[in-house]
């Protein structure tokens, strides 16, 4: 594959006709920690190229929901489907699924003994067994896109929090996932670094990457989301377009939650 | 002129014999250390697994190695096996075996400590990338744990080198035993020989252990920067 082909593939805005087909479907998902329910009965559908922002007070189960989507948590009941295939059987090979589902966490989770580039190439080379040259080109294209190419030989400890999170996003993106999950990835950042990470996510949203984002950045949610899912006490309380949710929330719980952010 | 005991060291083949003794000590120690370092890694990883039965077995083995003195283990493997099961190990083989079993247990505990000190997120993000269990340990966990277990591993190595002096009790003539023989055979002629012979042995043990701790310092410095 030539460089330009890789570049085209990575930079391509996905065709609009794919839009609207379900990509990830969750039905009646139940998750308990030692008998205490964390997610009660979640049903949710995420369509291709859709950006869904999950909001809710801390402890409402939004992070748990994301972790269930990636098989990091065992679930007690319910079903998760990716592209129509059931993920929640005993035989599910999560290694394969996780290549299609990229995830970025709140805490900086780059591998500290590897350079930025080594971090990014680990998945493509060892998991996907791609050719080094092709993977390096893909990494370069993506690093340039987020302005980190000069930092490719740096170790994580030499980076700022914002740079680390951008690198972590690239590490997930280089696997060419079908959907990206973001778990409060700006929550641990200094305020002046939040923006640079949000910008990367916003750009991804514009290139029609399918995304599920857990965040507390309300302005960002308004700008990026196609849909807001509001959760409280392990349930989906509201599921509506951002215009509706922020202007006239349907439930009292959502109103109370939004009021926290008003001064 | 009054006799200087130091002459004992250069008389006849005394120095040669001491150095041969050093070689015996070094051989047993380094073979056992090499096996322990290699086997200790999988053993340490086993100790971190959640399976309760497995954890109990590992714990039992570690504690058995710790509580029962190495000397007793040497007797068990050299005399005990021969008497009760007619397995006749050579003294050197028994020594290497016992020191390896002990070293593996101790090394395993050091590896366990290093592995569990890594943050849970390292496992999760490796899983999220789709790494298999083996790849997770090979590329993420072991390289990071290695940096943390160097001080403990070096400490264990020098301890093992020094403890090899016990093998004389199953009939292996190593450096310390050679030294005692030299002292005894020169007892009347030069009563101060003990000082010089033990002095040299001290120095030889130092030569054996020093490169190991120098290596650890260098590794620590390299991984720090």
């Amino acid at each position: 594959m030539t460089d330009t082909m890789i570049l085209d593939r990575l930079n391509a805005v996905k065709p609009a006709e794919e839009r609207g087909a379900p990509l990830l479907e969750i039905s009646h998902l139940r998750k308990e920690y030692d008998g205490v329910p964390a997610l009660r009965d979640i049903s949710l559908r995420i369509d291709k190229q859709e950006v869904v922002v999950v909001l809710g007070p801390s402890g409402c189960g939004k992070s748990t929901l994301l972790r269930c989507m990636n098989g990091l948590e065992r679930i007690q009941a319910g079903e998760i489907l990716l592209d129509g295939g059931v993920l929640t059987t005993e035989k599910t090979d999560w290694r394969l699924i996780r290549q299609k589902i990229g995830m970025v966490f709140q805490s900086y989770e780059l591998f500290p003994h590897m350079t930025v580039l080594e971090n990014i190439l680990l998945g493509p080379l060892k998991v996907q067994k791609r050719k080094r040259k092709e993977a390096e080109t893909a990494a370069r294209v993506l690093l340039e896109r987020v302005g980190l190419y000069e930092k490719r030989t740096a170790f994580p400890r030499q980076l700022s929090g914002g740079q680390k999170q951008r690198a972590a996003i690239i590490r997930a993106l280089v696997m060419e996932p079908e959907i990206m999950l973001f778990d409060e990835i700006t929550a641990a950042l200094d305020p002046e670094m939040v923006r640079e990470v949000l910008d990367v996510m916003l750009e991804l949203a514009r290139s029609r990457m399918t995304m599920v984002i857990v965040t507390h950045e309300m302005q960002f949610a308004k700008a990026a989301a196609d849909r807001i899912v509001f959760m409280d006490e392990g349930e989906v309380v509201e599921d509506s377009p951002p215009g509706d949710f922020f202007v006239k929330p349907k439930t009292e719980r959502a109103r109370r939650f939004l009021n926290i952010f008003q001064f | 002129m009054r006799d200087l005991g130091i002459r004992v060291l250069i008389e006849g083949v005394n120095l040669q014999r001491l150095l041969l003794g050093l070689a015996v000590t070094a051989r047993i120690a380094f073979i056992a250390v090499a096996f322990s370092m290699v086997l200790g890694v999988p053993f340490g990883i086993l100790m971190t697994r959640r399976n309760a039965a497995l954890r109990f077995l590992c714990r039992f083995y570690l504690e058995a190695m710790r509580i029962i003195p190495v000397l007793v283990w040497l007797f068990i493997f050299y005399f005990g096996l021969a008497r009760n099961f007619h397995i006749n190990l050579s003294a050197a083989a028994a020594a290497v075996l016992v020191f390896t079993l002990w070293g593996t247990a101790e090394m395993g505990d050091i590896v366990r400590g290093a592995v569990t000190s890594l943050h849970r997120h390292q496992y999760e993000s490796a899983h999220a990338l789709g790494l298999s269990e083996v790849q997770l340990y090979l590329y993420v966990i072991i390289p990071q744990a290695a940096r943390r277990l160097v001080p403990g591993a070096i400490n264990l190595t020098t301890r093992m080198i020094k403890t090899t002096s016990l093998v004389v009790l199953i009939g292996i003539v190593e450096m310390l035993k050679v030294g005692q023989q030299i002292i005894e055979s020169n007892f009347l002629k030069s009563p101060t020989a003990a000082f010089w012979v033990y002095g040299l042995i001290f120095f030889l043990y130092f030569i054996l252990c020093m490169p190991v701790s120098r290596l650890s310092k260098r590794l620590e410095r390299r991984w720090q920067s």
Side-chain angles (χ1 to χ4, degrees):
Chain A
M1 205 180 319
T2 65
D3 284 16
T4 41
M5 282 166 73
I6 296 166
L7 226 147
D8 286 348
R9 201 176 66 214
L10 290 167
N11 282 335
V13 172
K14 299 202 172 85
E17 59 264 27
E18 273 188 6
R19 215 163 183 173
L23 179 60
L24 193 77
E25 289 166 281
I26 298 168
S27 55
H28 305 292
L29 186 147
R30 184 177 171 79
K31 163 77 194 167
E32 294 171 358
Y33 289 108
D34 302 322
V36 181
L39 299 173
R40 287 162 197 279
D41 180 24
I42 304 273
S43 295
L44 196 64
R45 184 182 132 172
I46 291 142
D47 290 339
K48 280 181 182 154
Q49 303 183 13
E50 197 177 24
V51 177
V52 175
V53 171
V54 184
L55 299 175
S58 48
C60 71
K62 50 196 194 303
S63 286
T64 309
L65 175 62
L66 233 55
R67 296 164 59 82
C68 290
M69 291 179 187
N70 202 6
L72 288 175
E73 302 282 351
R74 276 172 182 276
I75 62 171
Q76 272 68 50
E79 226 174 37
I80 304 175
L81 284 83
L82 180 74
D83 253 340
V86 184
L87 299 189
T88 36
T89 63
E90 281 300 308
K91 279 177 287 177
T92 301
D93 183 358
W94 279 105
R95 285 192 61 200
L96 279 177
I97 304 304
R98 283 170 182 148
Q99 295 174 40
K100 299 183 188 174
I101 306 179
M103 184 155 181
V104 185
F105 300 82
Q106 171 183 339
S107 54
Y108 322 125
E109 31 65 275
L110 293 174
F111 304 126
H113 61 297
M114 297 181 184
T115 63
V116 169
L117 192 63
E118 286 167 348
N119 263 283
I120 291 168
L121 292 180
L122 185 64
L125 295 184
K126 303 299 178 189
V127 179
Q128 297 179 320
K129 314 276 183 208
R130 282 153 64 177
K131 293 239 161 40
R132 174 168 277 275
K133 193 164 172 290
E134 180 270 332
E136 271 179 359
T137 310
R140 196 192 68 218
V141 171
L142 290 166
L143 281 169
E144 278 170 350
R145 206 157 118 186
V146 300
L148 275 183
Y149 188 61
E150 297 71 41
K151 296 280 182 191
R152 66 193 177 282
T153 55
F155 284 93
R157 64 178 174 276
Q158 298 163 320
L159 302 181
S160 74
Q163 289 170 330
K164 277 187 242 184
Q165 285 301 51
R166 282 185 280 156
I169 295 173
I170 299 304
R171 187 174 66 178
L173 271 183
V174 76
M175 309 278 284
E176 300 183 10
E178 291 176 26
I179 180 169
M180 287 280 287
L181 312 176
F182 296 94
D183 188 6
E184 296 196 41
I185 68 166
T186 59
L189 292 179
D190 290 336
E192 70 268 27
M193 288 165 189
V194 169
R195 184 60 197 254
E196 63 189 55
V197 176
L198 294 182
D199 280 343
V200 171
M201 282 204 279
L202 211 55
E203 202 227 322
L204 268 183
R206 296 210 177 103
S207 72
R208 304 226 181 98
M209 171 58 86
T210 312
M211 305 202 277
V212 182
I213 303 168
V214 170
T215 185
H216 285 292
E217 303 287 337
M218 292 300 142
Q219 296 303 322
F220 169 74
K222 261 182 227 176
D226 295 318
R227 232 168 79 209
I228 302 282
V229 170
F230 174 70
M231 287 178 66
D232 194 16
E233 291 176 4
E235 289 170 322
V236 172
V237 179
E238 232 171 279
D239 183 346
S240 43
D244 295 353
F245 180 79
F246 288 106
V247 179
K248 43 179 194 331
K250 282 174 272 185
T251 57
E252 178 57 33
R253 282 198 273 184
R255 255 192 299 280
R256 241 184 296 141
F257 173 74
L258 285 172
N259 277 338
I260 302 168
F261 297 91
Q262 305 288 325
F263 287 98
Chain B
M1 203 177 83
R2 246 191 94 228
D3 173 52
L4 291 174
I6 194 168
R7 269 187 43 220
V8 171
L9 295 182
I10 45 169
E11 258 173 18
V13 288
N14 283 355
L15 186 63
Q16 246 168 297
R17 287 189 61 211
L18 274 171
L19 290 178
L20 281 175
L22 175 75
V24 171
T25 296
R27 221 177 72 203
I28 293 172
F30 284 117
I31 294 175
V33 166
F35 275 118
S36 303
M37 298 289 144
V38 173
L39 296 174
V41 173
F43 178 61
I45 289 170
L46 280 185
M47 288 178 84
T48 65
R49 306 302 290 188
R50 275 197 218 128
N51 186 317
L54 190 67
R55 268 221 321 253
F56 174 79
L57 275 178
C58 291
R59 200 77 223 169
F60 183 81
Y61 169 62
L62 173 67
E63 294 301 336
M65 281 296 150
R66 274 199 181 149
I67 292 168
I68 301 175
V70 175
L71 182 58
V72 175
W73 283 116
L74 282 172
F75 285 164
I76 291 174
F77 275 85
Y78 188 60
F79 300 117
L81 284 186
R83 259 204 124 113
N84 298 310
F85 303 100
H86 303 289
I87 301 171
N88 289 298
L89 293 174
S90 73
V96 167
L97 189 60
V98 166
F99 278 96
T100 301
L101 287 172
W102 171 51
T104 301
E106 293 285 2
M107 184 64 188
D109 202 36
I110 295 168
V111 171
R112 181 196 59 77
V115 167
T116 48
S117 76
L118 296 177
H119 205 282
R120 183 174 58 94
H121 288 130
Q122 292 291 314
Y123 295 83
E124 288 189 343
S125 43
H127 276 139
L129 279 179
L131 291 178
S132 69
E133 240 7 56
V134 173
Q135 290 173 328
L136 160 75
Y137 280 101
L138 211 56
Y139 302 123
V140 179
I141 302 303
I142 292 175
Q144 287 186 68
R147 288 153 166 78
R148 298 183 188 202
L149 57 78
V150 166
I154 296 305
N155 187 8
L156 176 64
T157 304
T158 50
R159 252 169 80 209
M160 285 173 75
I161 291 173
K162 286 180 287 185
T163 313
T164 49
S165 55
L166 288 179
V167 298
V168 64
L169 292 160
I170 56 169
I172 299 177
V173 181
E174 45 70 82
M175 179 163 57
L176 201 61
K177 183 68 190 172
V178 173
Q180 285 170 346
Q181 288 171 348
I182 293 172
I183 292 165
E184 276 162 28
S185 60
N186 291 286
F187 186 67
L188 292 175
K189 209 171 67 185
S190 48
T192 59
F195 176 77
W196 298 102
V197 170
Y198 283 132
L200 180 68
I201 288 173
F202 164 84
F203 181 70
L204 291 177
Y205 269 119
F206 179 75
I207 294 224
L208 217 50
C209 295
M210 193 192 58
V212 181
S213 33
R214 285 291 287 274
L215 176 73
S216 100
K217 280 233 178 62
R218 270 184 52 185
L219 281 178
E220 277 176 72
R221 212 173 319 140
R222 192 165 83 197
W223 284 337
Q224 215 168 46
S225 57

